[in-house]
Amino acid sequence: MSIILCDIDGTLLSRNPTGRPGEQTPKRVAINRALAEEFGLPDVDFRQGIEHGLTDWRIAENAVRCHRPEASIDGAAWQRVCARAEGAFVRFADGDPPHYAALPGVPASLEALRAAGHTLGVVTGNVSFFAVDKLAHAGIDPALFAGPRGFGDHGRERHHIIRLAAAQAGDEPLVVLGDTRHDLAGAREAGLPFLGVGTTGLSAADLDGHDRVAWLADLADATAVVAAVGALTG
């Protein structure tokens, strides 16, 4: 049996459109405030730095560079930003309108993987408290993920957080589950097999030329998901 290191955004859940122009998610409000305080940039906007599949660290640095092209965020500054953001963050509460929704097949395919004897972990570019809140919004129980975890708090690049989670796994076989070329590149850099899903545009062709890879359109078919993981781990 193996450990599945699951990406979150675009793999397990997607953002709900609110229908209210200009409304910001609690995450965006918190990290914008943290970046504004840390760098003295009242107009900074995290969304200006977004490229799907990057870590929050990289996205935040991109956003700051929209105002200061030469800027970089080192480890100490990033930890200060994360601490400020956590202090400003308003977490999801029962009765709040959810900003995120589970994608087709979630959590049923996750539960099928667990029933087949696999362990679920998390590898996401989200800072940890943002990640847990997103799962709660989407109705996905964080307790499903009893395995290793890697978050954007402590890794600037995708392969950093994959390796962080892999180091917690010991000798257990691992599979990275994700939806972007950044997820694929991180798995390759860490020397791990990759199961890609096409929910945000990753295609089967993007996996051409790579070994120990598999692709599914989404996670809707639990039987196909379990079979794909089994094939990757032999």
Side-chain angles (χ1 to χ4, degrees):
M1 296 297 101
S2 58
I3 296 172
I4 319 302
L5 301 178
C6 303
D7 174 56
I8 291 180
D9 289 306
T11 302
L12 304 183
L13 55 80
S14 62
R15 185 180 170 190
N16 275 336
T18 64
R20 294 182 287 275
E23 183 178 34
Q24 298 184 9
T25 63
K27 172 179 177 176
R28 186 178 171 192
V29 170
I31 201 162
N32 281 353
R33 184 177 300 176
L35 291 171
E37 292 174 355
E38 178 68 23
F39 295 99
L41 295 172
D43 297 325
V44 69
D45 186 357
F46 182 74
R47 285 193 64 80
Q48 290 179 319
I50 287 180
E51 179 183 330
H52 193 48
L54 293 182
T55 64
D56 280 353
W57 189 339
R58 284 283 308 279
I59 293 169
E61 188 173 73
N62 287 347
V64 171
R65 285 177 174 172
C66 289
H67 301 265
R68 295 180 187 164
E70 77 290 350
S72 63
I73 301 179
D74 63 18
W78 181 236
Q79 291 306 306
R80 291 194 298 269
V81 168
C82 290
R84 290 177 187 272
E86 186 168 20
F89 186 49
V90 178
R91 287 168 172 76
F92 179 72
D94 290 343
D96 289 349
H99 288 278
Y100 303 92
L103 285 166
V106 180
S109 288
L110 300 178
E111 292 167 346
L113 286 167
R114 281 164 41 99
H118 300 295
T119 299
L120 302 178
V122 172
V123 166
T124 174
N126 284 281
V127 171
S128 55
F129 50 88
F130 291 146
V132 172
D133 190 73
K134 285 183 176 185
L135 291 170
H137 268 268
I140 303 169
D141 185 358
L144 287 171
F145 307 95
R149 299 183 176 194
F151 297 103
D153 310 37
H154 303 116
R156 186 177 187 276
E157 306 295 342
R158 175 69 56 168
H159 65 88
H160 293 157
I161 57 177
I162 291 175
R163 284 185 166 129
L164 174 66
Q168 303 166 33
D171 296 327
E172 293 293 322
L174 296 161
V175 174
V176 176
L177 170 63
D179 68 305
T180 74
R181 285 177 289 178
H182 291 292
D183 298 312
L184 170 62
R188 300 290 80 188
E189 187 79 19
L192 297 177
F194 177 72
L195 173 57
V197 290
T199 45
T200 61
L202 183 74
S203 70
D206 290 323
L207 277 60
D208 286 349
H210 297 281
D211 61 353
R212 297 195 301 160
V213 295
W215 181 88
L216 296 169
D218 53 34
L219 298 176
D221 184 340
T223 300
V225 173
V226 173
V229 168
L232 285 171
T233 57

